[in-house]
Amino acid sequence: MTRYYSEHSKVWVSVDCIVFGFDQDKLKLLIGRRQMDPGRGEWSLYGGFVGPDESLDEAANRVLLNLTGLKKLYMRQVGAFGEIDRDPGERVISVAYCALINVKDYDEHLLEEHGLQWVNLTELPKLYSDHNNMVSCAMKLLKQRIKTEPLSVNLLPDLFTLTQLQHVYEAILGDEVDKRNFRKRIKHMDFIEKTDLIDKTTSKRGAALYRYNKRAYKGVTP
């Protein structure tokens, strides 16, 4: 690569991944103890530096694959964070990405390998540097996008009940949703289709199972 701009100072560019999951009716975040200086031992998001031959999206996908072992995840860029003193080690600009995964798809061995754990979003500890701010910005993004995109299906198994779907909405929006109005709304969504299967794990009568129909969705496919 040709070397230009030698008269300018250089900065590091990193990506930080905000990985959300949903379990036991709670929205959860994947975090771990930082394993490098500065900030070794502090709670942190999982990230990495952008390689010289990587785009930002490529770097984020690499980090997510290493972190989760999963491909084709729902991933959206949250924003850039570049306060001068955000990293006491060097001048580092970080681009944050959020991802949504089904907790049941996650290999628990990776938790131990990377020293990670799922934490309820409502019980989130103080994170390294500006990572709490990144999480807040990611939540604002999800609250906006859940109104126009079927985000919830990325957090649920392939087959789910309307109650499970409602609980995901409530966890993201941070407020209770009227059950009757919610179900009326779902009935008008062609991409949420009812199956002939019944979930009987919560009651003898059981609840109908639904699934996401990608072909019926006309918007952005997660």
Side-chain angles (χ1 to χ4, degrees), residues 117-141:
Q117 68 182 63
W118 290 105
V119 176
N120 291 342
L121 199 62
T122 55
E123 302 171 356
L124 195 63
K126 173 68 176 69
L127 302 178
Y128 174 74
S129 184
D130 51 5
H131 289 188
N132 286 89
N133 187 32
M134 291 181 181
V135 176
S136 295
C137 290
M139 283 303 303
K140 290 179 182 178
L141 179 69

Side-chain angles (χ1 to χ4, degrees), residues 33-64:
R33 295 288 186 180
R34 190 169 165 87
Q35 298 178 10
M36 61 185 296
D37 293 320
R40 186 183 296 272
E42 295 183 30
W43 288 111
S44 173
L45 298 173
Y46 194 88
F49 288 100
V50 179
D53 299 318
E54 287 182 313
S55 68
L56 289 170
D57 284 0
E58 288 170 343
N61 275 307
R62 169 179 54 80
V63 170
L64 282 171

Side-chain angles (χ1 to χ4, degrees), residues 63-161:
V63 170
L64 282 171
L65 179 60
N66 185 50
L67 176 65
T68 68
L70 302 173
K71 296 181 179 180
K72 296 182 179 180
L73 297 175
Y74 176 94
M75 182 186 79
R76 292 291 184 272
Q77 189 179 116
V78 175
F81 297 79
E83 291 295 324
I84 296 175
D85 59 350
R86 64 170 302 276
D87 192 306
E90 293 284 352
R91 180 77 168 96
V92 180
I93 295 174
S94 181
V95 180
Y97 285 79
C98 75
L100 306 178
I101 70 172
N102 177 12
V103 172
K104 304 300 182 184
D105 290 339
Y106 188 79
D107 186 348
E108 292 190 359
H109 290 94
L110 291 174
L111 289 175
E112 183 176 351
E113 179 180 337
H114 296 296
L116 302 170
Q117 68 182 63
W118 290 105
V119 176
N120 291 342
L121 199 62
T122 55
E123 302 171 356
L124 195 63
K126 173 68 176 69
L127 302 178
Y128 174 74
S129 184
D130 51 5
H131 289 188
N132 286 89
N133 187 32
M134 291 181 181
V135 176
S136 295
C137 290
M139 283 303 303
K140 290 179 182 178
L141 179 69
L142 294 184
K143 288 179 180 181
Q144 293 171 351
R145 287 185 173 268
I146 198 172
K147 299 174 183 178
T148 58
E149 295 182 37
L151 300 185
S152 303
V153 298
N154 298 283
L155 296 163
L156 293 170
D158 292 336
L159 296 173
F160 50 85
T161 66

